[in-house]
Amino acid sequence: MNEPVSPPLRPLGVGELLDRAVTLCVRFFLPFSLIYLAYGIPLGVVNYFASRGVTTLIQAFADQLKAQSTGGRTDPHALATAMANGGSDPLWSLALIAMTFFISPLAGAALIDATSAASFGRLPTFASAYRTALSRWPNLMGVNLLYVLAGLAIYVAIVVVAVLIVFAIVGITTAVHVVGIVVGVLIGIVFVLFAIAFFLVASIAWQISYFACVVERLNFVASFSSGLARVFGGIGLKRSLLVGLVLMAVGIGIWLVTLAGQGVLIGLLRSSIAGTVFTTLVSVGTAAFLTAFMTTFYFDLRVREDGLDLQLAAHAALDRPLES
């Protein structure tokens, strides 16, 4: 079988980024899914035991809806009882948190390596992807730590700013009444929109730092700095905000699909195992597509900001023998 030919690197619009991500994901879905399933299956098992309280609540909610639709008798205290008796096992919840923080970077790095290889026409393999992921794992942990520390500092700053804004709104409202209320509402809306935009761009910076760590083999400090510089500087800020909005819309859609599927499988069919399997399959497809999308965006940023396409063309010209 012939190896796939990678499309030429060039600046892409958001629609083209999505199109390439879908093409990449469909063409290499099997290796991408196998790479993520190595993490997704254990995660699904742990999540099954950690979310039994949520499962009980979904089943109770579905029972109430079914009773109302069929004219049966409803129990007004059923949901409260399910919430009181459906607590999750703290040990399984702790295991879920540990897997998310310590093990998910391995699966993410393996997918990054695989999607990057596929983007350049190389067939990704399970073994090579996880070899790369294991070699980059300590630096990925360092990247996570730096972002956690930066996030805590920003959180404190946001709280301080929010408190100052509240005091300013109270002062303006006291002074000019109705006009102050209108101004206060507008300030609050602007602050919330700014916070959402900042969170979206910061999440993109974190992912770009992962790519810098895996693809460029940078250490965790350089990866952290590279992600922030590429996203918050130059053309990256505007495009990262746009990509962040796209990812938010995709995430909401996936969440609705997952919620609907769990509602049917767990609530109506009363099969928590089927619900867990469905959630795991959705997570596999989601991880493959989102990583492919971020891969195309990462290389698009490097083309726009670093001239990566010209660098690769120059290397190819140097490696090509001169024609007589």
Side-chain angles (χ1 to χ4, degrees), residues 115-126:
T115 52
S116 300
S119 297
F120 285 91
R122 300 190 300 271
L123 294 175
T125 64
F126 184 94

Side-chain angles (χ1 to χ4, degrees), residues 96-107:
L96 182 62
I97 294 172
M99 284 193 68
T100 302
F101 186 82
F102 292 105
I103 309 301
S104 66
L106 280 177

Side-chain angles (χ1 to χ4, degrees), residues 37-177:
L37 277 174
Y39 166 72
I41 291 177
L43 179 67
V45 173
V46 173
N47 189 53
Y48 170 78
F49 291 102
S51 62
R52 282 182 292 183
V54 177
T55 300
T56 303
L57 184 60
I58 292 175
Q59 290 176 346
F61 183 73
D63 290 341
Q64 294 299 304
L65 289 179
K66 185 177 180 181
Q68 289 179 358
S69 62
T70 57
R73 183 178 180 182
T74 61
D75 182 3
H77 304 293
L79 292 179
T81 303
M83 294 179 64
N85 299 329
S88 300
D89 189 323
L91 292 180
W92 284 109
S93 298
L94 184 62
L96 182 62
I97 294 172
M99 284 193 68
T100 302
F101 186 82
F102 292 105
I103 309 301
S104 66
L106 280 177
L111 269 181
I112 288 172
D113 182 76
T115 52
S116 300
S119 297
F120 285 91
R122 300 190 300 271
L123 294 175
T125 64
F126 184 94
S128 64
Y130 272 99
R131 276 198 300 268
T132 300
L134 287 170
S135 68
R136 304 311 301 163
W137 183 79
N139 282 289
L140 292 173
M141 290 293 95
V143 169
N144 283 347
L145 179 61
L146 289 178
Y147 272 98
V148 168
L149 294 176
L152 291 174
I154 293 172
Y155 173 77
V156 172
I158 289 176
V159 170
V160 172
V161 171
V163 170
L164 293 176
I165 289 176
V166 169
F167 278 116
I169 291 174
V170 171
I172 294 173
T173 303
T174 304
V176 289
H177 302 296

